[in-house]
Amino acid sequence: MRTPILKEWGLKAEPVFLAAGPCSAESEQQVLTTARALAKKGVGFFRAGIWKPRTRPGSFEGVGPAGLVWLEQVRAETGLKVGTEVAEPAHVEACLEHRMDVLWVGARTTTNPFSVQAIADALRGTDVPVFVKNPMSADVALWLGALERLANAGLTRLGAIHRGVSSPLEMRYRNAPAWKMPVELMRLMPEIPMICDPSHICGKAELIPAIAQEAMDLLFDGLMIEVHPNPSEALSDAAQQLTPEEFFLLIDKLQLPQEKSGSTAFVNRMRKLRDGVDELDSRMLELLSRRMETVREMGKLKSEQNVSTLQPERWAEILEDRLKRGRQLNLPEAFVQQLMQSVHEEAIRQQEADRIGL
């Protein structure tokens, strides 16, 4: 884990980094009441939204710079580091004026490279810690690019926040967890601290503990959780905010797994199992290669007879059969469907490449 890096930035991260506070700063009393409660639990920094980018006009869009004064009061009274989201250069300038300890770039802003570059330019010459949330879509390149733009502006204390992605599918979460996205970013930028925002993934307070635990199981370095003294009266995202007491309970129950074990028996058994997985993967890739050779032969026949590459009826038959077979093998239907769609897309790509000479 990268918690030592966070400690070097002056942020508390023992045993795990915790950022907590209301979705929005609504009043001086609300901010201070929340901060006083959270100061007892060792959060890494106190978060509160000052400017709120809303989907439609007319919703509560934040209190603006007045809330920065309240955050300064939080720091003076509790000793907590304080931070907020920035979406444009004017926000950055106001935060620097009020000496915010931490900033983050929101998902809607990360989606727009022009906005990220403007923020990076405004931060040039400073080195305040900046976290970048993933974009609304499952686009790792956009996320990576946002971090690179900030790094190119001279910022060295950079972190990432995973908050899930928008999905057209009906599901229990507000945003799809899409864990492969942060896992891939951790592979590409292993030195970057990775924080999970289960509040925005879940959208419902009762779902947050499970997602928070899953993030820890995936070796995230910390959590950013929305906490409000009275969530039912919150002016934004009321359903996904915890009370301080609920937050404390979540943290007390959180399990923090280690990447490795010192048990010799564990190491030996795991080595054997991994060898088995490696062998199965090798055989699987060989079978996929043979499948692609076969579909390319099929593609040549289609081309010779001027038959379309896509065969909708055949594809429907394949998918129905493989889903049925997957159920017999106790494989999740969504996994089998995603796997077969990937295989089918690659088969079409290879057939078309041969057909049009790419």
Side-chain angles (χ1 to χ4, degrees):
M1 296 181 74
R2 293 152 293 268
T3 48
I5 296 175
L6 295 167
K7 293 178 184 177
E8 291 175 5
W9 298 354
L11 300 174
K12 189 171 182 179
E14 188 62 48
V16 66
F17 176 75
L18 297 173
C23 172
S24 301
E26 300 166 357
S27 69
E28 179 181 354
Q29 180 180 1
Q30 171 243 17
V31 168
L32 289 173
T33 298
T34 310
R36 288 165 184 154
L38 292 174
K40 303 173 184 177
K41 203 62 180 181
V43 298
F45 80 89
F46 181 80
R47 55 138 295 143
I50 302 300
W51 302 275
K52 301 299 297 180
R54 308 309 297 271
T55 301
R56 300 180 64 184
S59 301
F60 176 67
E61 296 184 334
V63 297
L68 296 175
V69 176
W70 304 337
L71 291 180
E72 286 183 303
Q73 290 177 258
V74 166
R75 180 173 52 208
E77 181 178 324
T78 68
L80 291 173
K81 303 288 186 180
V82 294
T84 194
E85 177 180 340
V86 293
E88 58 185 44
H91 297 169
V92 173
E93 293 169 7
C95 287
L96 294 177
E97 180 182 348
H98 290 274
R99 299 180 300 109
M100 292 296 103
D101 301 296
V102 180
L103 303 177
W104 72 87
V105 178
R108 298 171 191 264
T109 306
T110 305
T111 303
N112 187 337
F114 292 107
S115 296
V116 174
Q117 187 60 58
I119 290 172
D121 291 340
L123 285 166
R124 194 180 300 274
T126 72
D127 202 18
V128 60
V130 179
F131 288 89
V132 178
K133 288 194 174 185
N134 63 276
M136 303 287 284
S137 60
D139 191 336
V140 176
L142 266 180
W143 201 3
L144 180 66
L147 287 159
E148 290 173 335
R149 289 178 185 278
L150 291 163
N152 290 342
L155 296 161
T156 63
R157 297 191 288 178
L158 297 174
I161 301 174
H162 179 58
R163 47 84 73 205
V165 299
S166 297
S167 173
L169 302 177
E170 289 290 332
M171 56 183 178
R172 64 195 303 228
Y173 301 114
R174 176 180 178 182
N175 291 292
W179 295 115
K180 64 182 179 181
M181 197 176 177
V183 169
E184 176 63 6
L185 188 69
M186 286 191 276
R187 184 186 70 84
L188 295 171
M189 305 185 80
E191 75 286 357
I192 295 291
M194 177 66 71
I195 311 303
C196 180
D197 175 357
S199 299
H200 278 90
I201 291 176
C202 296
K204 299 175 184 176
E206 63 270 21
L207 300 178
I208 291 174
I211 288 293
Q213 183 58 61
E214 192 166 357
M216 294 297 96
D217 295 342
L218 294 174
L219 296 179
F220 278 65
D221 300 298
L223 302 169
M224 173 183 276
I225 296 178
E226 293 183 350
V227 178
H228 192 288
N230 192 348
S232 64
E233 295 184 0
L235 299 181
S236 60
D237 290 345
Q240 68 188 39
Q241 299 193 64
L242 302 179
T243 65
E245 293 74 23
E246 290 170 335
F247 172 73
F248 299 154
L249 182 62
L250 182 157
I251 299 307
D252 289 340
K253 291 185 175 181
L254 206 60
Q255 299 295 314
L256 305 178
Q258 302 299 312
E259 185 175 359
K260 298 179 180 180
S261 170
S263 166
T264 301
F266 170 88
V267 171
N268 291 338
R269 177 60 176 156
M270 188 62 71
R271 183 183 295 115
K272 291 181 180 179
L273 292 171
R274 285 173 173 167
D275 288 344
V277 168
D278 291 344
E279 174 62 24
L280 290 169
D281 283 351
S282 179
R283 288 162 56 188
M284 180 176 64
L285 290 172
E286 289 173 3
L287 289 171
L288 284 170
S289 177
R290 287 167 55 187
R291 190 188 195 283
M292 291 304 162
E293 290 175 3
T294 301
V295 298
R296 290 183 71 178
E297 285 295 317
M298 295 165 63
K300 291 177 183 177
L301 288 174
K302 293 176 185 177
S303 181
E304 290 170 0
Q305 297 298 316
N306 195 30
V307 171
S308 62
T309 300
L310 177 63
Q311 296 286 297
E313 288 187 11
R314 170 60 178 161
W315 167 232
E317 291 173 0
I318 289 174
L319 189 57
E320 181 180 359
D321 177 76
R322 304 317 185 254
L323 290 174
K324 179 179 178 181
R325 180 60 177 150
R327 287 191 292 269
Q328 293 170 346
L329 296 170
N330 294 319
L331 292 171
E333 186 170 301
F335 168 71
V336 174
Q337 181 165 335
Q338 184 179 42
L339 173 64
M340 293 310 303
Q341 285 175 335
S342 296
V343 172
H344 186 241
E345 287 172 9
E346 178 59 20
I348 287 179
R349 189 196 68 78
Q350 292 201 21
Q351 288 183 356
E352 278 295 289
D354 290 339
R355 189 166 192 157
I356 62 179
L358 290 178

